[in-house]
Amino acid sequence: MAAATPSPTPPGSLKRIVAASLIGTTIEWYDFFLYGSAAALVFNKLFFPGSDPLVGTLLSFLTYAVGFAARPLGALVFGHYGDRLGRKKLLVLSLLLMGGATFAIGLLPTHATIGTAAPVLLTVLRLVQGFALGGEWGGAVLLVSEHGDAGRRGFWASWPQTGAPAGQLLATGVLSALTALLSDAAFTSWGWRIPFLLSGVLVIVGLWIRLSVDESPVFKAALARAEARRTETAQVETMPLVAVVRHHWRDVLIAMGARMAENISYYVITAFILVYATTSTGLSKQTALNAVLVASAVHFAVIPAWGALSDRIGRRPVYLIGAVGVGAWMFPFFALVDTRSFGGLLLAVTVGLVLHGAMYAPQAAFFSEMFSTRMRYSGASIGAQFSSVAAGAPAPLIATALLADHGTSTPIALYVIAAALITVVAIACAKETRNRDLSDEVEEERVTAGR
């Protein structure tokens, strides 16, 4: 059987692919984070009125968490078809689903207009967002990882990861501008809808760019080899999900453990802090949003640097720096926020996100390198998204509940530290993947054939 081997991607094409993945992930994360910020600031009043303010926030964050519940289903569906049909097609679909749901939220009547149907519809649209994001991440990072050269894979694959802080930056920036320009009454009445409706314009731009890129050469070569095997031997490939469970269950567990500190710390630092800063320290919404805004810009800048470092010293050492650092930073983090100054809040969030970046940057290449090509979308997506149900989904909810019960940040800091310990153990059990060949034909043939 003649093996189809991937051709090197020209530097110009690689940069276009990186740009397409980055813009797409930025739009998807903008949509997802916009909901989180709105949940902390206005949804408690608009969709859950009549409750104690903190209880209303808890209910609002509950619908926020629902989006995470749909992410594993998105990972399974998009992973399966992404491994069978290709990365590009599924990325286009995920962008359409996410953008459409976000735009619809901007048109949604509130509780005052349609009663209990309002939070129900909000929850349904949040489920669509989560389903789409569950399929987006794996495809975006794989498209870059499978195009990039092995020597700089960590650097190039980290660029789609900057879509998270870029989306956070964009969402927080729009909300910050609106809260500065509008009165509280105007923002609560109609101003909050503007960022959601802007998503429609962003999706059009994202689709135009994403449709212009080529499918992953590694995937196309693997698909050609699979077709040749099927023609010559009538050999039927194992379903990607079955192959992942059979051959990569340990890698899935490691990926899930690795995500615990990264996911929990991020949502505590960026989403819950909007609640903590405004309710416990008396800082204004504008001050809290501005701190997250500036820190997200720094976060965006350091992620490629951490990715490049992972190319030099390995994925595991960089990831461990982030996990240990985030755990150690939690008590100083809340101590700085409790100073009730913008400077203290800004330093707390910025350092927290820089340390988070040490986990988030190598994650794309690290998870991609764990799995064989014909099950890589499934494996990376399942490992990343299933853990989000236990990590990022309840993080703001748990942190808010702990604050309501104890009135202090100490249990919240301990909660993040416990997650950091889980991640340290997971990374300690992982193998270094920096030098792994993504088009390993021998391993691919073994696992797809079910041997």
Side-chain angles (χ1 to χ4, degrees), residues 408-427:
T408 175
S409 61
T410 299
I412 304 167
L414 292 174
Y415 167 53
V416 178
I417 290 169
L421 291 174
I422 294 172
T423 293
V424 168
V425 172
I427 299 302

Side-chain angles (χ1 to χ4, degrees), residues 43 47 99-110 113-114 118 121-122 125 190 192-198:
F43 281 177
F47 292 92
T102 305
F103 187 83
I105 290 174
L107 300 173
L108 198 62
T110 63
T113 305
I114 60 172
L121 290 173
L122 183 68
L125 292 173
W190 56 269
W192 67 272
R193 298 182 183 276
I194 295 174
F196 288 91
L197 297 176
L198 280 176

Side-chain angles (χ1 to χ4, degrees), residues 183-268:
S183 65
D184 283 348
F187 180 77
T188 303
S189 175
W190 56 269
W192 67 272
R193 298 182 183 276
I194 295 174
F196 288 91
L197 297 176
L198 280 176
S199 179
V201 178
L202 295 175
V203 166
I204 293 172
V205 175
L207 282 174
W208 175 67
I209 295 172
R210 189 161 272 186
L211 286 168
S212 69
V213 303
D214 295 327
E215 181 57 82
S216 154
V218 171
F219 174 80
K220 288 192 290 187
L223 183 61
R225 289 193 294 270
E227 291 293 336
R229 281 195 298 270
R230 187 158 44 246
T231 300
E232 293 182 8
T233 66
Q235 184 181 36
V236 178
E237 278 192 305
T238 306
M239 285 181 59
L241 175 60
V242 175
V244 167
V245 173
R246 181 180 298 168
H247 298 283
H248 287 287
W249 61 269
R250 183 177 181 273
D251 295 316
V252 169
L253 291 177
I254 287 172
M256 291 175 67
R259 284 275 281 172
M260 295 302 289
E262 177 268 306
N263 224 215
I264 289 173
S265 66
Y266 189 79
Y267 291 106
V268 168

